[in-house]
Coordinates of all heavy atoms in Angstrom, one line a residue:
N118 N -12.2 15.9 6.8 CA -11.3 15.8 7.9 C -11.3 14.4 8.6 O -10.7 14.2 9.7 CB -11.5 16.9 8.9 CG -13.0 16.8 9.5 OD1 -13.7 15.9 9.3 ND2 -13.4 17.9 10.2
D119 N -12.0 13.5 8.0 CA -12.0 12.1 8.6 C -12.3 11.1 7.5 O -12.7 11.5 6.4 CB -13.1 12.1 9.7 CG -12.9 10.9 10.7 OD1 -11.9 10.2 10.5 OD2 -13.7 10.8 11.6
I120 N -12.2 9.8 7.9 CA -12.5 8.8 7.0 C -13.1 7.6 7.8 O -12.7 7.4 8.9 CB -11.2 8.3 6.2 CG1 -11.6 7.3 5.1 CG2 -10.2 7.7 7.1 CD1 -10.4 7.0 4.1
K121 N -14.0 6.9 7.2 CA -14.7 5.9 8.0 C -15.0 4.7 7.1 O -15.3 4.8 5.9 CB -16.1 6.4 8.5 CG -16.8 5.4 9.4 CD -18.0 6.1 10.0 CE -18.9 5.1 10.8 NZ -20.1 5.6 11.3
Y123 N -17.3 1.7 6.1 CA -18.8 1.4 6.0 C -18.9 -0.1 5.6 O -18.0 -0.7 5.3 CB -19.5 2.3 5.1 CG -19.8 3.7 5.7 CD1 -18.7 4.7 5.7 CD2 -21.0 4.1 6.2 CE1 -19.0 5.9 6.2 CE2 -21.2 5.3 6.8 CZ -20.3 6.2 6.8 OH -20.4 7.5 7.3
L131 N -15.1 11.9 5.1 CA -16.1 12.6 5.8 C -15.7 14.0 6.3 O -14.5 14.3 6.5 CB -16.6 11.9 7.1 CG -17.0 10.4 6.9 CD1 -17.2 9.8 8.3 CD2 -18.3 10.3 6.1
N132 N -16.7 14.9 6.4 CA -16.4 16.1 7.1 C -17.2 16.1 8.4 O -18.4 16.0 8.3 CB -16.8 17.3 6.3 CG -16.5 18.7 7.0 OD1 -15.9 18.7 8.0 ND2 -17.0 19.8 6.4
V133 N -16.6 16.1 9.6 CA -17.3 15.9 10.8 C -17.0 17.1 11.7 O -16.0 17.7 11.6 CB -16.9 14.6 11.6 CG1 -17.2 13.4 10.7 CG2 -15.4 14.6 11.9
D134 N -18.0 17.4 12.5 CA -17.8 18.6 13.5 C -17.1 18.1 14.7 O -16.7 16.9 14.8 CB -19.1 19.3 13.8 CG -20.1 18.3 14.5 OD1 -19.7 17.3 15.2 OD2 -21.3 18.7 14.5
E135 N -16.9 19.0 15.7 CA -16.1 18.7 17.0 C -16.8 17.6 17.8 O -16.1 16.9 18.5 CB -16.0 20.0 17.8 CG -15.1 21.0 17.1 CD -15.0 22.3 17.9 OE1 -15.6 22.3 19.0 OE2 -14.2 23.1 17.5
D136 N -18.1 17.4 17.6 CA -18.8 16.3 18.3 C -18.8 15.0 17.6 O -19.5 14.1 18.0 CB -20.2 16.8 18.7 CG -20.2 18.0 19.6 OD1 -19.3 18.0 20.6 OD2 -21.0 19.0 19.4
G137 N -18.2 15.0 16.4 CA -18.3 13.7 15.6 C -19.5 13.6 14.7 O -19.6 12.6 14.0
N138 N -20.3 14.6 14.6 CA -21.5 14.6 13.8 C -21.0 14.8 12.3 O -20.2 15.7 12.0 CB -22.5 15.7 14.2 CG -23.0 15.5 15.5 OD1 -23.4 14.4 15.9 ND2 -22.9 16.5 16.3
I139 N -21.6 14.0 11.4 CA -21.2 14.1 10.0 C -21.9 15.3 9.3 O -23.2 15.4 9.3 CB -21.6 12.8 9.3 CG1 -20.8 11.6 9.8 CG2 -21.3 12.9 7.7 CD1 -21.2 10.3 9.3
I140 N -21.1 16.2 8.8 CA -21.6 17.3 8.1 C -21.7 17.0 6.6 O -22.7 17.3 5.9 CB -20.6 18.5 8.2 CG1 -20.6 18.9 9.7 CG2 -21.1 19.7 7.4 CD1 -19.4 20.0 10.0
E141 N -20.7 16.2 6.1 CA -20.7 15.8 4.7 C -20.1 14.4 4.5 O -19.0 14.1 5.2 CB -20.0 16.8 3.8 CG -20.0 16.4 2.3 CD -19.1 17.3 1.5 OE1 -18.5 18.3 2.0 OE2 -19.0 17.2 0.2

Side-chain angles (χ1 to χ4, degrees):
N118 57 15
D119 202 359
I120 188 169
K121 182 179 178 180
Y123 283 79
L131 306 172
N132 183 9
V133 300
D134 62 22
E135 294 180 356
D136 297 320
N138 299 310
I139 297 175
I140 301 171
E141 180 185 3

